[in-house]
Amino acid sequence: MSIPSRTALIDHLVRTRIAGDVATPRENNLDHYRKLANGDRHYWFGLEFGDRWTDEQDVLAVMAERCGVSDDLGHRTGQDTIDPELTVAALDRMAAVLRKAAAGRQRVLFATGHPGGLLDVHRATAAALRAAGCEIVVIPDGLTADEGYVFQFAEVAVFERGATLWHTHSPAPMAAILDGLAREGRPLPDLVVADHGWAGCAAQRGLDAVGYADSNDPALFLAEAEGTLQVAVPLDDHVLSPRFYDPLTAYLLAAAGLAAQA
């Protein structure tokens, strides 16, 4: 993959709407922030927030700081944004975690609740870490969750139902993996690279975890703010083509010192 400069990547993120003026509308963002603050666990992604985030405005403040959405309380509908500078800064932080994993030849687990968008980002990262000497965790066979199956495709754990890969925010598939590893007496991952409830569940259980998150998915950003999750990368997690993420992946792997492994 061709490795973009920081400036070129920012231009690409804005042009493809991975960041900048994203497709997720402001009203959807605010609705999710409100539901998280009201205790709707669907939006907690397997994390435990207690009564720490019961004010929608506090959630919005974190999202403005870490994702780049508008901090204007009066802006209720229409366009919202992800700051591409924050996206690239978070990729740099994630790259530092990946570099450490490669240096330590860590056991790494990859998982995605957004197979239509992020599967290949995770696959390429897993392949690069494996080439660098890491063990990519193989999940147990026969795992089930949420009336479906949990299995691996291209070294990435995914959720399947009805012979179709599903988009899911649920933490249950990751819980099934971690519980399954424990039942088999196998070590847990040193690092989890994921998104949605897969990342939230791993972080809540005390594992080192990094993840990708959209502007309407505040839980991982709150977890990063609290120190539960190591890194949350802000981006639109399902743009028009999964190929649009290729420059982002190339930048991430180069920053992690893994470009030669990709």
Side-chain angles (χ1 to χ4, degrees):
M1 291 182 284
S2 176
I3 301 168
S5 66
R6 183 186 185 92
T7 299
L9 178 60
I10 287 173
D11 289 344
H12 172 79
L13 295 175
V14 172
R15 186 172 63 255
T16 57
R17 301 185 75 184
I18 294 172
D21 289 344
V22 292
T24 309
R26 176 68 166 187
E27 50 267 40
N28 184 258
N29 285 341
L30 295 181
D31 177 65
H32 287 200
Y33 305 166
R34 184 180 309 109
K35 287 176 177 175
L36 182 146
N38 288 340
D40 187 336
R41 287 180 173 269
H42 176 76
Y43 298 92
W44 286 22
F45 285 12
L47 293 150
E48 293 295 332
F49 293 121
D51 60 359
R52 298 188 300 279
W53 299 100
T54 57
D55 189 329
E56 175 190 350
Q57 294 185 16
D58 291 340
V59 178
L60 174 60
V62 171
M63 293 303 293
E65 175 188 14
R66 294 181 177 269
C67 184
V69 302
S70 171
D71 62 359
D72 181 2
L73 296 174
H75 179 33
R76 310 301 298 179
T77 63
Q79 184 66 56
D80 213 341
T81 59
I82 292 175
D83 185 341
E85 294 280 357
L86 294 177
T87 302
V88 178
L91 288 171
D92 288 338
R93 297 196 303 276
M94 183 182 282
V97 175
L98 298 179
R99 183 184 291 270
K100 178 182 176 182
R105 295 177 178 262
Q106 292 182 352
R107 296 182 305 277
V108 188
L109 173 63
F110 287 84
T112 185
H114 235 304
L118 299 179
L119 179 62
D120 208 42
V121 176
H122 290 302
R123 179 209 59 77
T125 308
L129 282 177
R130 177 184 286 282
C134 288
E135 174 189 344
I136 306 306
V137 174
V138 176
I139 70 171
D141 289 330
L143 297 179
T144 61
D146 295 335
E147 300 180 346
Y149 298 92
V150 185
F151 69 100
Q152 271 174 312
F153 181 74
E155 298 193 306
V156 183
V158 291
F159 179 68
E160 185 263 356
R161 186 189 293 170
T164 301
L165 302 187
W166 275 55
H167 169 223
T168 177
H169 289 186
S170 174
M174 178 58 75
I177 294 172
L178 300 180
D179 292 344
L181 291 171
R183 281 195 304 273
E184 293 185 356
R186 294 168 54 195
L188 296 178
D190 299 309
L191 175 66
V192 173
V193 182
D195 47 70
H196 287 182
W198 306 77
C201 175
Q204 184 62 42
R205 293 202 181 192
L207 299 176
D208 286 347
V210 296
Y212 300 94
D214 210 328
S215 60
N216 62 352
D217 293 333
L220 296 189
F221 296 102
L222 299 183
E224 183 187 29
E226 292 189 331
T228 308
L229 185 80
Q230 290 191 327
V231 182
V233 178
L235 47 66
D236 187 317
D237 52 19
H238 197 128
V239 292
L240 290 176
S241 169
R243 296 278 66 80
F244 289 168
Y245 297 104
D246 287 353
L248 177 152
T249 306
Y251 179 92
L252 172 67
L253 296 182
L258 298 170
Q261 315 294 339

